[in-house]
Amino acid sequence: IGRSFIDFVHPRDRNTFASQITSGLAVPKIVNSTMVCRIRRYRGLTTGFGVKDRVVTFMPFLLKFTFKNICDEEKVIYLVIQATPFFSAFRIPNEVVAKAVPFVMRHSANGNLEYIDPESVPYLGYLPQDVTDKDALQLYHPEDLDYLQQVYETIVKEGGVPRTKAYRMMAQNGDYLKVETEWSSFINPWSKRLEFVIGKHHIIEGPANPDVFQSPLSDDDKAKAQKFREGIVRIMNEVLTKPAEVAKQQMTKRCQDLASFMESLMEEQPKVDEELRLDIQDPDHSYYERDSVMLGGISPHHDYTDSKSSIGTPLS
């Protein structure tokens, strides 16, 4: 009580809201007018007094405006607003709809969206002011454009199409729902050129995400998500994980154990087994007699008594 109503209106809807009031005051004969508008939800105090820390959310409403003159001591004009909330028409993913309310969209010959029914809001999730003057062709699924091109060719030749087969249209949350459409058009009688196309759309099946009002990812959100993905890949490839650290410690211990074992072997004097001695007859009889090597208890030398290197030579 006592607050300005426009404080509760979403910033993107304030211009539309103000122009609606202005036109209502300028043309008093209009008894009431309507618009779709997002209104801020009350954040409440259920979690204490940290209201400022909670996320601000908005909910779509259909507003009906009525101006009333109240003559008391002085004449005062009151604005009466009847607000009806919008909810998504779908409850489950890919819901098959039996009795959906059809809605109308009109776009010009260059695809510019000029009008969309407020009845479309619970099905598509768009507010009319958000998509007006946008490219209507961007709402069609890329894989259905081939079929829709044929439909538009028929519209131009015949003036309309009684009803198309089902094709996909994008909802506000980025998912697609299936629609069938009755098409009509207006041809300028002087220029003989198509001025605009009107589609009466019938919803056949809902989107995979039934909440059509859920915000899709913005470009910033997509960039942030990609940054996190790259960070995860970098962590997996660069940062030393705990299992890797444990493995490294285990490997270090194994290396230390192996080094100790090798040192013990080096320190032990090999025992010569007389039965394992082999006589190697060297044709030269001169080069290797004093250079025979002791290897694992086997001394390859020519003469037992002539070599002094067989007993004291450590392992190499």
Side-chain angles (χ1 to χ4, degrees):
I1 302 296
R3 299 271 307 269
S4 171
F5 182 79
I6 205 165
D7 289 344
F8 298 92
V9 175
H10 194 286
R12 285 164 56 187
D13 298 333
R14 288 177 183 175
N15 287 339
T16 308
F17 180 82
S19 63
Q20 198 78 18
I21 295 173
T22 304
S23 60
L25 290 171
V27 187
K29 290 183 180 180
I30 299 176
V31 178
N32 53 42
S33 57
T34 62
M35 71 164 287
V36 181
C37 174
R38 284 159 290 210
I39 298 178
R40 195 176 76 203
R41 299 185 69 172
Y42 177 59
R43 290 180 287 182
L45 295 173
T46 54
T47 56
F49 292 94
V51 177
K52 290 184 180 179
D53 296 332
R54 300 185 63 185
V55 177
V56 177
T57 56
F58 291 83
M59 191 172 176
F61 283 83
L62 178 66
L63 304 185
K64 291 184 179 180
F65 299 96
T66 306
F67 293 94
K68 287 188 176 181
N69 294 323
I70 301 208
C71 296
D72 212 352
E73 295 180 359
E74 58 184 71
K75 187 177 180 181
V76 179
I77 299 177
Y78 281 90
L79 169 64
V80 180
I81 301 174
Q82 180 184 346
T84 307
F86 278 114
F87 299 98
S88 177
F90 311 106
R91 293 166 295 174
I92 59 174
N94 304 109
E95 181 177 352
V96 177
V97 183
K99 296 180 180 179
V101 178
F103 58 88
V104 171
M105 294 171 62
R106 183 182 75 234
H107 67 78
S108 61
N110 63 2
N112 192 50
L113 189 61
E114 297 176 339
Y115 173 80
I116 181 170
D117 266 343
E119 284 80 7
S120 68
V121 175
Y123 298 104
L124 294 178
Y126 300 109
L127 272 62
Q129 58 265 32
D130 288 343
V131 289
T132 303
D133 296 328
K134 299 292 191 300
D135 187 358
L137 306 184
Q138 293 291 336
L139 299 177
Y140 304 147
H141 195 286
E143 294 178 3
D144 295 334
L145 289 173
D146 183 27
Y147 167 67
L148 288 168
Q149 182 171 317
Q150 300 173 30
V151 170
Y152 275 91
E153 287 174 354
T154 306
I155 292 171
V156 173
K157 291 176 183 177
E158 307 294 335
V161 174
R163 187 151 173 166
T164 64
K165 63 182 184 182
Y167 64 95
R168 288 162 288 186
M169 182 178 288
M170 188 168 65
Q172 192 271 156
N173 62 11
D175 285 345
Y176 288 87
L177 42 83
K178 291 183 180 178
V179 300
E180 293 178 359
T181 305
E182 300 172 46
W183 295 98
S184 60
S185 64
F186 174 74
I187 309 294
N188 189 311
W190 289 276
S191 65
K192 308 295 183 183
R193 298 181 68 84
L194 185 142
E195 289 284 334
F196 55 81
V197 174
I198 300 172
K200 186 177 183 181
H201 305 287
H202 302 264
I203 304 295
I204 305 300
E205 182 181 295
N209 179 2
D211 185 5
V212 295
F213 295 114
Q214 184 173 323
S215 298
L217 286 176
S218 64
D219 291 339
D220 290 342
D221 291 332
K222 290 177 183 176
K224 191 183 294 182
Q226 182 59 29
K227 188 177 180 181
F228 282 126
R229 291 189 194 101
E230 293 170 356
I232 291 170
V233 172
R234 187 177 65 254
I235 288 169
M236 291 190 294
N237 286 279
E238 293 179 5
V239 180
L240 193 63
T241 62
K242 186 175 180 181
E245 187 64 38
V246 172
K248 181 182 176 183
Q249 292 173 358
Q250 289 175 347
M251 185 59 68
T252 303
K253 188 175 185 303
R254 289 176 187 174
C255 290
Q256 289 173 347
D257 292 343
L258 183 59
S260 300
F261 176 68
M262 294 300 293
E263 286 175 6
S264 66
L265 286 179
M266 296 288 285
E267 290 171 0
E268 289 181 5
Q269 292 295 330
K271 296 178 181 179
V272 179
D273 190 348
E274 293 292 328
E275 294 181 357
L276 293 177
R277 288 183 181 277
L278 296 177
D279 287 338
I280 299 176
Q281 191 69 32
D282 188 81
D284 195 357
H285 295 285
S286 61
Y287 296 117
Y288 299 104
E289 284 192 2
R290 294 191 176 275
D291 298 314
S292 54
V293 178
M294 187 65 189
L295 183 62
I298 301 174
S299 178
H301 68 293
H302 179 64
D303 189 6
Y304 305 146
T305 59
D306 202 24
S307 176
K308 296 180 181 177
S309 61
S310 61
I311 301 297
T313 306
L315 289 174
S316 65

